Amino acid sequence: MGRSPGLTSKTLFLLTALTAVSLFFTACSNAGNQEDTANNATSPAASSTLPSDCESGPEATSSSCQAAGPGRTVAADRCPDTSPTPLDGGVIEGSFGPWCENAIATSYPTEDTESLIPEGTEVELTISETDMDTTVDMQGQDFPASATYQGILHEGPCAENPGDLGPEYVHEGSGDNPNATVVLDFTTASDGSAAATVTVPFLVPDNASGNSIVLQNTDMEIVGCVRIP
């Protein structure tokens, strides 16, 4: 008895269709596994290649750092992207914290924790001059209570490390105006507020722009720095 040509054709067609479906699902499964493997491989790499600028400093708040991954950002108002300038009336405002390039106020750790300037302590500095003298006025809040400081005008901006700060500014006087420095001595109130003013009988070049007021505690340890933009 002979085979039916119609039955053989149908059988071949069904076998071909089943093979095609099987290959389709196998390809999809492999593609999914490859995608998962790629994702798992790139995630650690992305975190390990996070630029160092994204960990701290003014670059940490930039869009490029945010796109690179989660970094430890800093307060944008304390560490702006560009060099700060005085406010109206020549007022210089800032809050203390770890050093960053464009910060107004920097605090430095010491062995005596009682002398640390807490992060977020606010300071306001105003420098004015006449034809004969220069006045430096400093106001602050949230300092440690009843703490004594000495602020001294130094050449150059605040530095990341106290040992890298510039030298004290010394006025090269003559006659009735001998060599002199600019010094602010003050003790904070019980609520942590501070106020200090000094007037010196000479002019500081460029109204002290580009210099800084360096704060020391009673042990002569450098505990803070206020930049004069």
Side-chain angles (χ1 to χ4, degrees):
M1 187 174 181
R3 290 179 298 176
S4 171
L7 181 60
T8 302
S9 299
K10 290 181 181 180
T11 301
L12 291 174
F13 176 80
L14 289 174
L15 288 174
T16 302
L18 289 173
T19 302
V21 170
S22 177
L23 290 174
F24 173 79
F25 282 108
T26 300
C28 289
S29 177
N30 290 338
N33 291 336
Q34 290 175 358
E35 183 178 356
D36 290 342
T37 302
N39 288 337
N40 291 335
T42 55
S43 295
S47 60
S48 63
T49 57
L50 185 66
S52 59
D53 290 342
C54 293
E55 296 297 332
S56 62
E59 294 301 322
T61 55
S62 68
S63 58
S64 61
C65 287
Q66 292 171 0
R72 185 175 66 83
T73 60
V74 295
D77 57 344
R78 210 183 71 77
C79 299
D81 291 335
T82 58
S83 181
T85 56
L87 304 176
D88 292 341
V91 176
I92 301 164
E93 290 184 346
S95 58
F96 284 92
W99 180 89
C100 58
E101 185 177 0
N102 293 322
I104 287 292
T106 299
S107 58
Y108 301 109
T110 68
E111 293 181 0
D112 182 5
T113 56
E114 294 297 325
S115 298
L116 291 177
I117 300 176
E119 187 168 351
T121 296
E122 297 181 0
V123 65
E124 179 180 291
L125 196 68
T126 307
I127 300 176
S128 56
E129 62 181 21
T130 67
D131 293 337
M132 300 292 294
D133 54 42
T134 301
T135 297
V136 180
D137 179 82
M138 192 182 75
Q139 308 288 328
Q141 60 183 16
D142 297 327
F143 279 87
S146 305
T148 298
Y149 299 90
Q150 184 177 73
I152 304 174
L153 180 65
H154 278 236
E155 296 180 8
C158 301
E160 184 173 5
N161 300 304
D164 296 330
L165 291 167
E168 291 184 19
Y169 172 83
V170 178
H171 167 70
E172 297 181 359
S174 61
D176 294 336
N177 291 329
N179 293 352
T181 58
V182 180
V183 179
L184 289 150
D185 292 313
F186 63 97
T187 299
T188 63
S190 58
D191 62 355
S193 61
T197 301
V198 62
T199 299
V200 292
F202 53 83
L203 301 181
V204 180
D206 299 322
N207 215 27
S209 177
N211 295 334
S212 54
I213 299 291
V214 175
L215 300 181
Q216 299 177 340
N217 61 10
T218 54
D219 294 326
M220 305 302 290
E221 297 175 302
I222 295 176
V223 295
C225 181
V226 181
R227 175 182 178 180
I228 304 172

